[in-house]
Amino acid sequence: MIELLELCGYGEQEIESELPRVEKAFNKLGITVDDIERGKQRLNKYYDMELKGVRKALRLILRELVDALLVRDEGVKNVIYGFMAPGFDLLSSALVTKSKDVFSIHHSWAFQIFIGCIFGKIVPILEEAERKWLKAGMVAHCANLKTLVGPLTLGLYPKPDLLVTTGLLCETSPKTIDLFHELYDIPVWYVDACQDRTSGEYPEPSERVAISAAKSLKRLAERIQEVVGFEITDDMLLEVQDAKGKMGEAFDRIRDLIATSAPLPLSPAHENIWMCLNVLALSINGITEATDAVNLLYEELRERVAKGLGVVEKDAPRVLATLPMGQTDPRLEHLACEVGIAIVATDRNIEASIKEIPEDPYLRFGIGMQLGAMHVPPTMRIPLLIEGCKKLNIDGVLDRFHVGCRAVAGDALLIDNAIKKELGIPVMLLEWENFDPRVYKHEEYKKRLEIFKTMMLANKQK
Amino acid sequence: MQEERLAIHLKERPSQLLEAKNKGVKIIGYFPGNYVPEELIYASGAVPLCLINGGDSKPAEMALSVVPQVICPFARAQVGERLLGKNPYYSMIDMLVAPITCQHLKKVAEVWEYNGDLEIFKLGIPHQHNNDFELEYFNDRLRALKDRLQAFTGNEITDEKISEAIVLYNRMRELLKNISLLRCTSPSLLSSLDFVKLNHASFYADPAFMVDYLDSVYHELKDKQQVTKTETPKILLIGPSIGYGDYEVLQLVKAAGGDIVIEEICEGVRYYWNKVESKGDLIESLAREYLVDRVPCAFMRYSTRKRLDFALKLIKDFAVSGVIWYELLCCETYDAESYFFSQELGDRNIPMLILESDYSAANTGQFRTRIEAFIEILRGVME
């Protein structure tokens, strides 16, 4: 256990003070000595553990996982969970900064990284959800939701005082929390906005959609105020926004470095660690710690780049992947590196630019949710992807479609056709589940990635 | 005789519409689900057409060149019909009003928008209405739709025209409801299959013709009505949209000796149960009725309990012995909700059969066996 904590960036004194808590939390999760051994092996295999920035980031994630599991035991008064809830992290950080009596998190992210990516034990959790209302099979329920349903119905996580989701791109999540309300008597809340922009309105964000989303988020803040008993002021949110802005800039620097360096300095398997850091409900101090970790990693990567070191050959074909990296399983991204493919970016980080970012935190959310390539209709998404490919000098697109998500999976074939037609570069279409390691088929993926690489290299020589 | 009258009308309808189109009348398609007020389209002088074909695997498979299989077969069928270009209704529309309801139909609208060969108006449907601004949003979108329709057709939409349209469609819904309620006491008067076909016909037929036709059907059935005690198990059908042509389950239930006496589907109760208020601010009336007052579809927030309560009321009022839950493959909200319904109905000793269709002919054998077994169970319960 101590070795694991050291790998995850815990210092000597912290290990001494935190060990009993971590052990208690792991006992709740059924993590055994063998699991810890496997976890260490997987960390060393799939992640760059010599990078201190990676370790520091993992430390923050593990800390949140432990806190989440012990929150009721340790007497925290109000527990609020968000799920698939952009905007929620802003409110959460404001809450936990203001009061130690409140614990407010989007808990699945930390859970997915540790139980899925590191311990490789997510499948029993998914199966538990499948025994409830998210059955397995062709219906293709999103395994992300299964990582909410499984732990809660197994009683791994304490019952929250409020469970929040959005229906911005998903119907399963709202229906799931509706069922939590009906079957487990958990109070729930939804943030919504209509996704009814039409082609004449792209790429500008729609004011009416932004205002409606902002109002909906504001109502959530009011509902949370009822739960926690204190006001969430705009100043609190602006302070979080400011701190998160600095963290965002730090992420951008890393992304730019990765996207523009050859050889690729870091395996794409790490991307979900950054995603997770971004949504942890960190207090202002926690956000500063996270920003320091990201800045440290940036310096470490810059050093690598200066020395010409990387995780693939210098002339490896450059790939843009759709969707974030596997969130419970790092094997595909690791395999891509082994085959010699440099996944330099994902469409999660491609978004439309806007002239002015509003100061109002609620309106900023309303605008922000209309910009990302993953969150907009194909009429806007595909031109953004094409532009991104050109800008990043991409040799091929890994067009993964997460079958659990109709919103993003529905575009996969259109993207495939458009990229081939407009850019003439190879596209590898991959039916995929971002949160379910059972879809991973090593030999098949290896062969397909090798062929994809050959196609890209041949195409480059034309 | 009655059926023949409707059959002739439906046969001639495409050519009538094409003739009208050639004279400048706009044909405006919309997706089903009960969130697009057809009254507004009608009031603009355009012809509203609900695009509701389904049940045939060919269009759904055709669509697989554009959208993956995780999009439900009904939504894929809409994409496929347009790609195949053989269905005159799908080819003749000048504009589509696409309600942003579930992710599946939203994706169809986005694919059609991407293809760029059709004017599209996306009608934002707030997925909840417990906050005042949500109904307000829908109101505003209906006003925007009104403006767009006026510009598109060149016709002014007056309150008088909206009111006339509301009265006409209210009458249609009232007649459908009256006909449906006759089945409460006399299930043998009209099978579910025939009733759903009537309802489907109302989406393509001329509304004035349809009102006249439904009126005569209602009076004919009412004259034949007699309260009978039947040994046939009465069944409630619950599901999302049943496409025009998606009749396999209805046929199999009939053949197995069951009577579906009421349908809690988009083309059933949810369509005709309520009327729109035809006085006051008419856009507000439409917004309230379509968003707030109707039985919600499963994708709506906080809908599960409301939908269960309504189903329990139907079960009681129609003396139903069992529920057939008919869902389409990959329809995640209905599938998740089926778990809750089966538990709740199980607690009340009401048998429930879940059927999941991908429009494939391969369904038939297993559906038949399961439906026959289910009806046997219901008979056992009735004894």
Side-chain angles (χ1 to χ4, degrees):
Chain A
M1 176 73 94
I2 289 171
E3 279 177 52
L4 180 84
L5 293 180
E6 282 170 353
L7 277 175
C8 293
Y10 279 61
E12 204 175 318
Q13 281 185 342
E14 195 177 17
I15 290 175
E16 203 180 315
S17 62
E18 284 296 305
L19 189 60
R21 292 183 77 235
V22 178
E23 281 175 342
K24 192 175 174 187
F26 280 11
N27 279 340
K28 282 189 182 234
L29 292 171
I31 299 295
T32 63
V33 174
D34 287 348
D35 294 328
I36 289 170
E37 200 49 45
R38 188 170 56 247
K40 286 189 297 190
Q41 284 169 11
R42 286 171 67 103
L43 275 170
N44 285 314
K45 182 172 181 181
Y46 299 122
Y47 298 96
D48 263 313
M49 297 315 298
E50 70 268 27
L51 297 171
K52 286 184 188 141
V54 171
R55 291 184 180 215
K56 279 181 177 284
L58 286 171
R59 174 181 159 271
L60 289 168
I61 296 169
L62 180 56
R63 195 175 72 183
E64 178 158 297
L65 178 69
V66 171
D67 288 349
L69 289 158
L70 303 182
V71 66
R72 290 287 189 209
D73 300 346
E74 294 177 347
V76 175
K77 207 170 141 196
N78 300 121
V79 178
I80 302 171
Y81 294 158
F83 188 86
M84 291 269 294
F88 176 78
D89 54 306
L90 185 71
L91 297 172
S92 285
S93 288
L95 290 170
V96 298
T97 301
K98 166 93 177 173
S99 171
K100 294 212 179 315
D101 279 338
V102 182
F103 188 74
S104 178
I105 59 157
H106 191 307
H107 67 58
S108 294
W109 295 84
F111 188 84
Q112 286 166 1
I113 287 188
F114 270 87
I115 305 304
C117 295
I118 296 174
F119 292 125
K121 283 192 84 173
I122 203 78
V123 173
I125 301 294
L126 305 181
E127 287 171 345
E128 165 64 12
E130 288 161 359
R131 284 189 286 274
K132 302 293 186 207
W133 55 90
L134 298 177
K135 74 182 185 206
M138 283 186 73
V139 60
H141 282 303
C142 177
N144 192 13
L145 258 302
K146 292 177 189 175
T147 69
L148 170 72
V149 172
L152 266 175
T153 58
L154 282 168
L156 299 180
Y157 277 107
K159 200 169 136 179
D161 300 302
L162 188 66
L163 175 57
V164 177
T165 194
T166 69
L168 303 177
L169 284 173
C170 182
E171 313 302 344
T172 322
S173 186
K175 182 52 76 180
T176 283
I177 78 160
D178 203 12
L179 293 181
F180 269 123
H181 176 60
E182 294 299 337
L183 296 167
Y184 296 87
D185 202 23
I186 294 174
V188 298
W189 198 261
Y190 307 91
V191 176
D192 271 312
C194 292
Q195 305 283 327
D196 60 358
R197 260 191 307 172
T198 46
S199 55
E201 295 175 290
Y202 308 136
E204 290 300 312
S206 153
E207 196 183 338
R208 69 166 187 282
V209 175
I211 290 171
S212 149
K215 282 180 181 171
S216 193
L217 189 65
K218 181 90 183 160
R219 288 290 159 94
L220 169 64
E222 289 163 7
R223 177 71 182 91
I224 288 176
Q225 283 169 189
E226 287 170 20
V227 174
V228 300
F230 60 82
E231 193 187 353
I232 303 171
T233 64
D234 282 2
D235 283 348
M236 288 161 70
L237 296 179
L238 288 169
E239 197 186 358
V240 172
Q241 208 159 265
D242 186 46
K244 285 214 152 195
K246 290 191 179 84
M247 185 161 75
E249 286 164 16
F251 282 131
D252 287 346
R253 277 196 294 275
I254 288 196
R255 276 191 210 106
D256 286 348
L257 186 69
I258 289 173
T260 54
S261 303
L264 184 72
L266 186 69
S267 155
H270 294 76
E271 201 209 53
N272 55 14
I273 295 178
W274 321 133
M275 276 177 68
C276 184
L277 270 193
N278 205 28
V279 296
L280 290 183
L282 299 166
S283 64
I284 298 285
N285 288 340
I287 296 171
T288 308
E289 277 184 83
T291 309
D292 290 346
V294 180
N295 281 331
L296 174 61
L297 178 70
Y298 174 72
E299 292 304 328
E300 290 177 300
L301 291 180
R302 238 166 49 125
E303 210 175 303
R304 269 192 182 179
V305 171
K307 288 178 184 166
L309 299 173
V311 291
V312 290
E313 295 289 315
K314 196 174 178 185
D315 56 356
R318 295 167 57 77
V319 166
L320 175 87
T322 57
L323 296 182
M325 300 307 169
Q327 279 162 267
T328 58
D329 184 2
R331 286 178 295 174
L332 176 68
E333 290 75 24
H334 183 74
L335 180 62
C337 289
E338 279 188 342
V339 168
I341 289 174
I343 301 178
V344 297
T346 70
D347 67 341
R348 186 183 160 265
N349 305 319
I350 293 179
E351 59 178 36
S353 53
I354 48 168
K355 290 171 206 137
E356 205 177 334
I357 300 169
E359 184 71 5
D360 177 83
Y362 297 100
L363 203 52
R364 187 182 277 206
F365 159 72
I367 296 285
M369 54 161 263
Q370 300 181 62
L371 301 177
M374 269 174 58
H375 307 139
V376 293
T379 309
M380 183 172 166
R381 185 180 183 193
I382 289 172
L384 281 173
L385 285 176
I386 289 172
E387 197 187 309
C389 285
K390 285 179 182 167
K391 196 173 147 195
L392 296 170
N393 198 21
I394 292 296
D395 299 313
V397 171
L398 176 58
D399 184 8
R400 292 180 293 193
F401 61 97
H402 167 39
V403 292
C405 179
R406 280 62 176 163
V408 293
D411 300 339
L413 303 176
L414 297 177
I415 291 171
D416 180 30
N417 289 332
I419 297 283
K420 285 176 185 161
K421 193 176 155 196
E422 297 289 321
L423 299 176
I425 57 174
V427 178
M428 178 171 152
L429 196 60
L430 187 67
E431 193 170 304
W432 177 248
E433 225 297 349
N434 253 49
F435 306 86
D436 190 342
R438 292 171 296 186
V439 298
Y440 182 81
K441 294 174 185 67
H442 185 81
E443 287 308 318
E444 182 192 322
Y445 287 0
K446 190 170 175 219
K447 276 277 168 282
R448 291 192 62 190
L449 285 169
E450 283 167 354
I451 293 166
F452 183 43
K453 182 184 173 187
T454 307
M455 287 169 73
M456 287 188 285
L457 291 175
N459 196 55
K460 273 174 88 168
Q461 284 169 358
K462 271 185 196 168
Chain B
M1 193 59 194
Q2 289 287 358
E3 290 89 340
E4 200 180 328
R5 207 177 130 213
L6 179 61
I8 291 169
H9 177 79
L10 290 176
K11 194 177 169 194
E12 291 171 351
R13 186 69 172 150
S15 50
Q16 280 175 4
L17 289 174
L18 282 172
E19 206 180 309
K21 188 177 158 88
N22 289 335
K23 288 178 185 163
V25 175
K26 299 291 184 194
I27 315 289
I28 297 184
Y30 63 96
F31 289 142
N34 294 325
Y35 290 94
V36 177
E38 52 215 335
E39 291 91 337
L40 263 188
I41 301 172
Y42 188 81
S44 74
V47 176
L49 273 186
C50 182
L51 302 176
I52 194 167
N53 267 39
D56 180 358
S57 61
K58 202 172 173 187
E61 281 168 15
M62 182 73 188
L64 290 173
S65 63
V66 184
V67 287
Q69 197 156 9
V70 291
I71 301 297
C72 85
F74 179 79
R76 279 192 282 120
Q78 309 317 304
V79 174
E81 288 288 4
R82 189 113 176 124
L83 289 175
L84 284 166
K86 288 183 178 166
N87 184 314
Y89 294 124
Y90 283 75
S91 305
M92 72 170 67
I93 53 171
D94 300 298
M95 177 182 174
L96 172 76
V97 180
I100 304 305
T101 53
C102 68
Q103 292 293 335
H104 303 265
L105 280 180
K106 175 173 169 255
K107 192 52 68 184
V108 180
E110 289 176 358
V111 168
W112 286 16
E113 179 184 66
Y114 181 73
N115 290 341
D117 58 354
L118 187 67
E119 177 96 14
I120 291 179
F121 183 90
K122 288 188 193 164
L123 179 63
I125 312 295
H127 284 30
Q128 54 182 315
H129 48 72
N130 46 340
N131 299 302
D132 50 1
F133 65 85
E134 284 140 358
L135 181 59
E136 211 174 279
Y137 188 92
F138 192 48
N139 251 317
D140 287 348
R141 296 316 291 150
L142 289 187
R143 288 185 208 286
L145 173 61
K146 182 185 162 193
D147 292 344
R148 177 73 81 90
L149 289 169
Q150 287 185 141
F152 193 65
T153 60
N155 300 326
E156 190 190 353
I157 302 177
T158 61
D159 271 4
E160 198 185 347
K161 285 181 185 171
I162 300 175
S163 178
E164 278 171 23
I166 289 175
V167 169
L168 180 69
Y169 279 96
N170 271 348
R171 180 66 184 144
M172 179 132 72
R173 288 188 277 262
E174 183 184 33
L175 285 163
L176 283 166
K177 184 175 183 179
N178 289 344
I179 292 169
S180 188
L181 290 175
L182 290 175
R183 299 183 297 163
C184 194
T185 49
S186 314
S188 58
L189 270 182
L190 187 72
S191 72
S192 176
L193 177 62
D194 291 334
F195 180 77
V196 171
K197 281 183 176 176
L198 265 185
N199 206 338
H200 278 153
S202 73
F203 295 131
Y204 290 113
D206 173 67
F209 166 87
M210 203 62 205
V211 163
D212 182 59
Y213 177 76
L214 289 172
D215 194 52
S216 46
V217 169
Y218 172 64
H219 285 101
E220 189 181 309
L221 293 176
K222 198 167 186 308
D223 290 344
K224 288 184 194 166
Q225 187 190 20
Q226 47 186 344
V227 179
T228 49
K229 190 166 168 47
T230 172
E231 297 301 309
T232 311
K234 290 182 181 178
I235 295 165
L236 161 66
L237 178 75
I238 300 181
S241 274
I242 285 204
Y244 184 99
D246 185 13
Y247 300 138
E248 187 175 47
V249 167
L250 305 178
Q251 285 162 341
L252 290 172
V253 171
K254 195 177 173 184
D259 265 332
I260 294 173
V261 290
I262 189 81
E263 303 81 13
E264 199 278 90
I265 55 175
C266 295
E267 300 72 39
V269 168
R270 295 212 292 274
Y271 175 67
Y272 61 69
W273 205 251
N274 296 335
K275 284 187 191 177
V276 179
E277 176 61 56
S278 59
K279 293 190 178 71
D281 184 325
L282 298 176
I283 297 287
E284 267 183 43
S285 289
L286 288 167
R288 181 163 290 283
E289 166 55 28
Y290 276 80
L291 184 69
V292 180
D293 293 343
R294 287 189 174 180
V295 181
C297 197
F299 70 82
M300 292 291 278
R301 318 299 179 230
Y302 307 104
S303 62
T304 313
R305 175 61 57 180
K306 283 182 201 162
R307 291 172 40 72
L308 175 73
D309 290 345
F310 187 69
L312 292 173
K313 177 179 160 37
L314 293 177
I315 287 167
K316 187 170 167 244
D317 292 352
F318 283 78
V320 160
S321 315
V323 171
I324 291 183
W325 184 278
Y326 178 66
E327 64 182 47
L328 299 173
L329 188 69
C330 298
C331 178
E332 64 276 45
T333 51
Y334 273 88
D335 190 66
E337 203 177 72
S338 70
Y339 174 87
F340 174 70
F341 269 68
S342 59
Q343 287 207 339
E344 292 288 326
L345 296 182
D347 289 347
R348 294 166 175 82
N349 294 318
I350 301 165
M352 174 170 146
L353 172 67
I354 301 172
L355 299 172
E356 194 177 21
S357 170
D358 63 352
Y359 292 169
S360 153
N363 293 332
T364 310
Q366 57 116 337
F367 276 11
R368 181 183 295 117
T369 308
R370 294 179 64 203
I371 288 169
E372 284 171 356
F374 182 66
I375 288 172
E376 280 309 306
I377 290 169
L378 296 184
R379 283 189 206 283
V381 172
M382 286 168 76
E383 282 167 14

